Amino acid sequence: MAKILVTGGTGHLGRDLVPELTISGHDVRLLARKPQPETSVEWVQGDLATGAGLDEALSGIDTVIHAATLSPIAKRGMRLADFFSSPADVDIDGTRRLLAASQHARIAHFVFVSIVGLEGSTLPYSRVKLTGERLVRASPLSWSVIRATPFYYLLKQMLEGLKWLPVWLLPSSPSNPVDTRDVASYLAQAVVDGERGMRPEIGGPEVMPFSTFARQYRDTLGLRRLVLPLPVSRRMSRAMGLVETTERLGQRRWVDWLSQH
Ligand SMILES: NC(=O)c1ccc[n+]([C@@H]2O[C@H](COP(=O)([O-])OP(=O)(O)OC[C@H]3O[C@@H](n4cnc5c(N)ncnc54)[C@H](OP(=O)(O)O)[C@@H]3O)[C@@H](O)[C@H]2O)c1
């Protein structure tokens, strides 16, 4: 069993990942920005944006799962400014710092959580994320990159923002967002399977038009809204971050996730 440092362990994915790793018998340590009084897991206070705490957090660790990110869109929904810039201090500078400290600490395996279709997206956040991923791929460490489609919570957040509109005109592009629990299981497996490099991407179990995900959301919430599918080119869909993958499929369906949340 590995001694694992998880960055982003307090985030949406991290909150599913940490129990998944501990149930699998691993020894887990979190890098956390704020004190974690209620966790049974070991934690070290640190900040990727400054480099504080990284050496201490990496002491005695064999595997790093780097799942921290700074996505303003995920935090507070999309704003106009997000089409022009996205902060780099965590995803680029922080990743660079963590890689250097991991090399120094002779980490055996560095796992990076990434996003499907980054090359095709025009969003500044995606470009920042891709730069961070490229740093990992260029690193002399033994690394794995696992790309996932957008998480269900992000889809819900986006659709919540449309609730006030009576008509939803939405792309019919094929998509398969995924449950963070499925990504967490995949990461737990990746820690022990001995594989390295670019791993198969993961998406949700159902590839459907994006507009159908919106219809299912509407129906689960019992909303009276008209959902109109809008055909959009593949290039445009990717530019907007509407992606799909069938390389590896999760198990949990959107409707089931919705009824649980
Ligand atoms: N969201 C998606 O749809 C999606 C899809 C595919 C892949 N991914 C990737 O999956 C990973 C997790 O995403 P998520 O949506 O679960 O993220 P999230 O909920 O936004 O959580 C972000 C995490 O990063 C931590 N963090 C932020 N700034 C930090 C800093 N300066 N130093 C240390 N930690 C910092 C946060 O800590 P605090 O609790 O202190 O804020 C939090 O634990 C990311 O790599 C993301 O790119 C996300």
Side-chain angles (χ1 to χ4, degrees), residues 72-237:
I73 298 172
K75 270 194 182 306
R76 43 115 174 107
M78 184 85 89
R79 293 205 186 137
L80 190 61
D82 300 320
F83 291 97
F84 300 101
S85 69
S86 190
D89 52 349
V90 174
D91 292 88
I92 300 179
D93 306 331
T95 299
R96 190 181 283 115
R97 286 186 190 102
L98 185 63
L99 285 167
S102 297
Q103 247 181 282
H104 189 245
R106 299 182 184 281
I107 295 304
H109 188 194
F110 189 100
V111 183
F112 183 70
V113 186
S114 193
I115 306 173
V116 171
L118 285 177
E119 290 80 0
S121 170
T122 52
L123 283 173
Y125 170 73
S126 304
R127 289 203 219 102
V128 166
K129 185 79 194 173
L130 183 58
T131 306
E133 186 194 284
R134 286 183 173 147
L135 290 173
V136 175
R137 287 159 61 177
S139 147
L141 285 163
S142 178
W143 55 263
S144 295
V145 169
I146 290 187
R147 287 179 159 198
T149 56
F151 300 156
Y152 287 153
Y153 88 85
L154 203 62
L155 178 59
K156 173 175 169 258
Q157 198 170 296
M158 211 218 88
L159 294 170
E160 261 167 5
L162 298 179
K163 266 188 184 168
W164 60 282
L165 289 168
V167 179
W168 298 352
L169 184 63
L170 291 171
S172 55
S173 327
S175 319
N176 62 331
V178 66
D179 189 332
T180 43
R181 287 176 298 171
D182 285 326
V183 182
S185 315
Y186 185 16
L187 288 164
Q189 182 203 314
V191 165
V192 290
D193 66 9
E195 305 283 320
R196 295 291 186 272
M198 294 302 291
R199 304 296 194 97
E201 301 171 345
I202 180 167
E206 298 170 308
V207 180
M208 300 193 290
F210 183 74
S211 45
T212 304
F213 282 95
R215 277 213 181 102
Q216 292 187 343
Y217 170 82
R218 175 199 66 186
D219 296 344
T220 305
L221 269 74
L223 301 171
R224 293 170 68 86
R225 304 286 184 280
L226 183 62
V227 178
L228 295 178
L230 175 73
V232 170
S233 71
R234 190 174 163 76
R235 188 155 166 250
M236 179 84 89
S237 305

